[in-house]
Amino acid sequence: MAKNLSLFEEKEGRISVLLPFALGRVLDYKFDGERPEHGTFVRVPLAGRVVTGVVWEKPKEEKEVPLEKLKFIYEVLNVPTLTDEQRHFIDWVANYTISTPGNVLKMSMSSPGALKTLPTSMQYFKGKAAVDPARLTPARLQVLDVIDDGKERSIKSISKKAGVSEAVVRGLIKLGLIEGVERTKDRPYQPPDPEMKGPELNDEQKDAVTTLKAGLEKGFQPTALEGVTGSGKTEVYFEVIADILKNPENQVLVLLPEIALTGQWLERFRNRFGALPVEWHSDLGKAERRRAWRAVASGEARIIIGARSALFLPFKKLGLVVVDEEHDQSFKQEDGVIYHARDMAVVRAQLADCPIILSSATLSYETLANIERKRFSHVTLKHRYGGASFPDLTAIDMREAENPAGNWLSTALNEALKETLERGEQAMLFLNRRGYAPLTLCRTCGTRIECPNCTAWMVEHRLKRHLMCHHCGHSIPTPKFCPECGVEDSLAVCGPGVERLEEEVARLFPHAKRLVMTSDTITSPHKGAEMVARIAAGEIDIIIGTQVITKGYHFPKLTLVGVIDADIGLKGGDLRAGERTYQQLEQVSGRAGREKLKGHVYIQTYMPDNPVMAALLSGDKEVFIKSDMAQRLKFNMPPYGRLASILVSGPNLPKVEALSHELARRFPRDKGVSLFGPAQAPLARLQGRFRYRLLLKTNRKTHLQNVIRSWMKGVRPRGGIRIKIDIDPYSFL
Ligand code: ADP
Ligand code: ZN
């Protein structure tokens, strides 16, 4: 219930309130009565509206408005206060990413419903008053019988169960034989049981658990858990979670990269702990969001799993953070506040002074460098669980491969598919391209159909009968005439997407049951779970999909993995192309033969001599990673040097260019700092806006953010121009 402070007219004072939008500073208000502590949610007037914010510290440098000019806060909300830790985290992230604290706070207030007064109802249970036998009628005895289990019920439900009128129940409430409490309508979460026995671990897993547990007392302690695919990393960190949950106050946060695909993980968690964790993702309905947010803030939610945004939930007492598949680039948030959830998770754990586990079969270079620097400890699992062997890898050199005209599957992969199906096993074909074909062109005039808003081709999606831009979402019905020369039936598609691959597979194996898995077909976590369950139940013979299928799955009958075009990821040629391609291919290969059946992987490539392919095929990944990281070191690139990308965009090209050049002129040249650009971005136009890029590089000793802040001081973009600053960029498009 809200407490209206204007009832107490005694003391007056000043507080600062941070509001959840880009204001750049806190606002001061007056209060009367008791001073609300930092972290308290309050409603305040602002420009004729009422907004919700949080009581915050006032930065020292800010000027004070005289007290008499300030407005009073309206009310203090009955919501758990944000902890000091959480507020420091918000300030820290804002400072690091060069965004406003208000915009970061907004991510922590991501459930508007949770901040409203919740609907409540009265619940009744057996009271403590002594029973006077003289006053007990048979009807009353029936009621006492019902409530004897101590459970909470409404009056209506007690009267129904006891078969008596509600008046009888009310009579007992008067006597104190039944007591009532006001409860919010949210159902409580079933807590996980840390005492449940987990599976028997093998020796390697036991060692890993022992090492991890030994570190738990130290407070903040980041550990990289590096285990080959199928080594049972999940069971290892489950053991650590069990340990942490034994302290009834502790909460655990697990970040997973692809929340739509966590069905298998949830099942395993329930088997291990007897209850499901609290989920946090964009697909939650309003009521579920409110329930989860409240439960995190009150400490009731013991374990939360979610994608990157779960990191900003208002934890009461965080006891452990796990980042699973820590190498995954989907942890990088690219819009709004631009941050990397893995890196910020480490900061969050440090503020909570709790351990953090970063788990992967293919650790990111950032994490490897932190191991080198002895900032992270390192635990490894080198063998697959249960004696499963690693799959055989075969490269198919597509320059020489037999490849029947018009087919995307080489003869060798085709044969392997046939044999796999004959043995009654499953196969997975990986092609990281959504839709039917990436390019449509006119055979008459040579026009390539491009997005009117972006420097990008329109991708045909045959199932939806349209062409679509993957950058802005613009779509048009698949045209019959060339939009340029008007000739009918002259349009031809180039290159394969997963839909086109599926068409070929259908032609070659008409009796095989196929399933296409991409972000277009997995429209909700529920849908994803359903697909995964069908595969696990053996209802599918061939899975065809984009990178969504490479992550974390365990399908015992899956023995063949075919990579249709291993070179796609290398083509952009950005800083991380090699690292990313290696991780992706290693992960997808890791889906094959995870139990008794032997796995086989076929990699179709036009560049079998590329160091990435050579490393995968020879099994000598360490050599590749070492030399790739040595290159980064040589050029002072991340994880050794630091980068920030500055993206200037706007509706008017000359103005974008002019501002970009002005930025370059103003750049404070200094030792240890270099600037590249400005240059037109590879994606030169996006959603109708022209784009220019500058790239800033510093050594690790330079305070990158301070350089940018002093550089940007006094820069006032006009005419719809925006400057987007991306610290530790992953996208260079
Ligand atoms: P990773 O995440 O390292 O690729 P998983 O944790 O998915 O590996 O484990 C691979 C498979 O082995 C899963 O089916 C898992 O249930 C099983 N497994 C792992 N460790 C054990 C264990 N100690 N006892 C029984 N099954 C295990
Ligand atoms: Zn577009």
Side-chain angles (χ1 to χ4, degrees):
M1 276 213 326
K3 186 163 72 173
N4 193 337
L5 282 176
S6 50
L7 292 176
F8 307 89
E9 285 292 346
E10 306 197 346
K11 270 183 293 169
E12 261 193 3
R14 165 200 298 273
I15 49 166
S16 301
V17 175
L18 181 64
L19 297 171
F21 35 78
L23 257 186
R25 63 196 170 90
V26 294
L27 295 181
D28 282 4
Y29 288 90
K30 270 193 290 201
F31 66 91
D32 42 20
E34 216 176 306
R35 169 176 284 274
E37 57 181 309
H38 288 158
T40 306
F41 283 91
V42 290
R43 299 200 339 127
V44 296
L46 180 77
R49 288 188 306 149
V50 183
V51 290
T52 303
V54 178
V55 179
W56 219 256
E57 279 110 340
K58 191 177 183 69
K60 283 193 192 68
E61 67 274 16
E62 278 188 25
K63 273 208 300 282
E64 295 222 320
V65 180
L67 193 65
E68 59 276 14
K69 286 205 177 154
L70 297 180
K71 293 206 169 104
F72 277 103
I73 61 172
Y74 278 164
E75 64 173 348
V76 169
L77 294 178
N78 182 19
V79 175
T81 53
L82 285 187
T83 61
D84 288 356
E85 248 171 69
Q86 184 75 13
R87 284 183 301 107
H88 292 161
F89 181 54
I90 289 168
D91 281 333
W92 200 99
V93 173
N95 194 34
Y96 186 86
T97 58
I98 315 194
S99 24
T100 60
N103 274 344
V104 183
L105 174 65
K106 190 165 149 200
M107 300 195 287
S108 280
M109 289 172 55
S110 45
S111 169
L115 301 166
K116 300 211 173 94
T117 307
L118 298 186
T120 59
S121 65
M122 290 301 291
Q123 297 290 314
Y124 297 89
F125 53 95
K126 187 177 176 179
K128 286 180 215 73
V131 185
D132 173 1
R135 308 185 73 164
L136 290 181
T137 60
R140 285 181 166 178
L141 280 170
Q142 265 160 274
V143 173
L144 293 184
D145 211 40
V146 168
I147 61 165
D148 200 47
D149 59 7
K151 277 197 188 135
E152 292 181 5
R153 295 184 175 88
S154 65
I155 292 182
K156 199 166 158 192
S157 116
I158 296 175
S159 86
K160 235 177 154 179
K161 241 186 142 140
V164 302
S165 73
E166 290 189 17
V168 176
V169 182
R170 287 184 209 283
L172 288 170
I173 294 171
K174 262 201 193 126
L175 292 175
L177 293 176
I178 296 179
E179 284 175 29
V181 283
E182 191 179 359
R183 293 272 186 227
T184 63
K185 293 232 169 88
D186 285 339
R187 280 166 300 134
Y189 288 98
Q190 198 191 340
D193 177 3
E195 304 292 345
M196 261 174 81
K197 221 179 125 36
E200 187 63 31
L201 299 184
N202 65 26
D203 288 347
E204 205 179 35
Q205 287 175 316
K206 276 188 200 149
D207 286 349
V209 169
T210 310
T211 315
L212 282 163
K213 281 193 184 170
L216 294 185
E217 269 106 67
K218 283 190 217 151
F220 174 60
Q221 174 61 53
T223 306
L225 172 59
E226 180 180 23
V228 296
T229 53
S231 57
K233 295 182 283 296
T234 318
E235 304 300 338
V236 167
Y237 72 69
F238 276 0
E239 277 308 303
V240 182
I241 290 176
D243 223 52
I244 293 285
L245 288 179
K246 280 179 189 153
N247 174 342
E249 289 192 337
N250 275 340
Q251 295 175 294
V252 174
L253 167 66
V254 180
L255 293 179
L256 300 172
E258 202 85 37
I259 206 69
L261 300 160
T262 47
Q264 276 194 331
W265 192 97
L266 292 175
E267 232 6 81
R268 281 171 73 176
F269 187 88
R270 181 163 44 195
N271 290 337
R272 176 68 182 76
F273 293 102
L276 284 171
V278 177
E279 288 176 67
W280 183 260
H281 50 75
S282 54
D283 210 51
L284 288 183
K286 253 197 207 145
E288 276 306 298
R289 266 182 116 67
R290 180 193 71 207
R291 182 177 170 222
W293 194 97
R294 281 271 183 163
V296 173
S298 71
E300 180 206 328
R302 303 295 315 283
I303 164 136
I304 295 89
I305 73 151
R308 48 191 188 223
S309 62
L311 186 57
F312 291 90
L313 284 171
F315 291 93
K316 189 166 181 217
K317 187 180 180 303
L318 203 48
L320 171 71
V321 183
V322 177
V323 184
D324 203 349
E325 311 291 358
E326 69 88 29
H327 65 277
D328 201 293
Q329 289 205 8
S330 66
F331 283 123
K332 182 76 196 284
Q333 159 105 11
E334 300 283 0
D335 328 293
V337 178
I338 305 175
Y339 67 92
H340 199 301
R342 176 202 53 227
D343 299 345
M344 295 307 111
V346 174
V347 174
R348 186 68 186 80
Q350 184 159 25
L351 289 170
D353 195 26
C354 77
I356 173 167
I357 298 174
L358 307 176
S359 167
S360 175
T362 50
L363 293 177
S364 64
Y365 290 5
E366 277 71 17
T367 294
L368 289 172
N370 277 319
I371 295 170
E372 268 172 25
R373 292 180 194 120
K374 306 241 184 306
R375 290 190 57 212
F376 292 5
S377 38
H378 189 198
V379 173
T380 52
L381 298 170
K382 297 211 159 73
H383 305 94
R384 282 192 149 183
Y385 176 78
S389 56
F390 290 108
D392 288 333
L393 266 65
T394 311
I396 302 171
D397 185 343
M398 296 301 278
R399 295 168 306 188
E400 293 163 9
E402 250 185 88
N403 200 18
N407 277 7
W408 311 105
L409 294 176
S410 61
T411 305
L413 180 51
N414 190 342
E415 280 298 311
L417 257 176
K418 201 155 103 201
E419 286 164 20
T420 305
L421 295 177
E422 277 165 9
R423 285 196 302 269
E425 294 164 10
Q426 290 171 317
M428 180 181 266
L429 298 177
F430 169 54
L431 175 62
N432 208 13
R433 270 214 197 105
R434 290 160 56 201
Y436 187 83
L439 169 65
T440 302
L441 57 73
C442 174
R443 278 180 303 226
T444 308
C445 70
T447 294
R448 302 163 171 213
I449 301 188
E450 281 183 38
C451 174
N453 313 316
C454 309
T455 322
W457 294 333
M458 298 288 282
V459 178
E460 180 175 355
H461 286 248
R462 199 157 277 192
L463 296 174
K464 292 189 183 142
R465 299 203 187 122
H466 66 194
L467 304 187
M468 181 177 145
C469 170
H470 284 176
H471 294 285
C472 73
H474 175 76
S475 73
I476 52 168
T478 307
K480 202 162 162 41
F481 304 88
C482 170
E484 213 41 52
C485 68
V487 174
E488 190 175 355
D489 290 329
S490 169
L491 295 173
V493 290
C494 295
V498 284
E499 289 180 10
R500 198 171 185 188
L501 180 63
E502 200 244 359
E503 198 179 83
E504 176 171 318
V505 172
R507 202 170 57 234
L508 295 170
F509 305 99
H511 301 298
K513 278 163 274 152
R514 306 169 304 274
L515 178 68
V516 176
M517 289 177 83
T518 71
S519 56
D520 298 299
T521 63
I522 306 171
T523 44
S524 69
H526 175 73
K527 191 96 187 252
E530 198 184 271
M531 289 179 172
V532 169
R534 280 171 65 202
I535 301 169
E539 285 169 31
I540 301 297
D541 301 312
I542 305 176
I543 307 141
I544 298 160
T546 55
Q547 44 84 27
V548 297
I549 62 173
T550 62
K551 300 179 182 182
Y553 295 112
H554 185 82
F555 300 122
K557 279 176 72 182
L558 181 76
T559 57
L560 177 69
V561 167
V563 179
I564 303 305
D565 183 351
D567 314 331
I568 291 181
L570 292 171
K571 282 177 189 144
D574 74 61
L575 168 70
R576 292 186 176 82
E579 177 188 1
R580 201 171 43 228
T581 301
Y582 147 72
Q583 286 165 343
Q584 207 163 54
L585 296 181
E586 176 77 9
Q587 291 286 349
V588 70
S589 305
R591 301 310 115 208
R594 287 166 70 94
E595 286 188 4
K596 290 181 198 79
L597 303 170
K598 177 78 188 164
H600 300 273
V601 179
Y602 287 79
I603 297 180
Q604 299 191 159
T605 170
Y606 284 89
M607 340 176 188
D609 305 323
N610 182 289
V612 178
M613 305 302 160
L616 280 166
L617 296 170
S618 67
D620 214 346
K621 291 146 218 160
E622 271 169 37
V623 174
F624 164 72
I625 293 171
K626 272 218 173 87
S627 84
D628 204 24
M629 284 181 79
Q631 284 293 310
R632 301 261 192 105
L633 181 62
K634 187 169 155 202
F635 294 102
N636 197 26
M637 282 293 184
Y640 302 104
R642 306 192 54 203
L643 292 180
S645 106
I646 316 290
L647 180 76
V648 182
S649 70
N652 177 303
L653 180 59
K655 284 190 181 151
V656 168
E657 265 175 60
L659 184 69
S660 306
H661 286 288
E662 189 196 327
L663 283 177
R665 272 194 307 277
R666 283 167 165 263
F667 183 67
R669 291 184 198 278
D670 211 341
K671 242 187 33 216
V673 185
S674 34
L675 183 70
F676 304 93
Q680 193 176 53
L683 187 57
R685 229 167 120 246
L686 176 65
Q687 290 183 300
R689 298 173 69 85
F690 296 93
R691 304 163 85 244
Y692 259 70
R693 280 188 174 282
L694 298 103
L695 188 67
L696 176 66
K697 186 169 81 168
T698 70
N699 55 32
R700 291 194 70 77
K701 280 184 226 119
T702 307
H703 198 298
L704 180 65
Q705 284 82 357
N706 284 352
V707 173
I708 296 177
R709 272 192 205 98
S710 66
W711 177 23
M712 295 291 161
K713 207 166 255 167
V715 177
R716 296 268 171 276
R718 263 182 272 268
I721 294 190
R722 280 200 295 264
I723 299 178
K724 187 164 135 178
I725 299 169
D726 180 358
I727 308 290
D728 309 328
Y730 281 67
S731 167
F732 300 90
L733 276 184

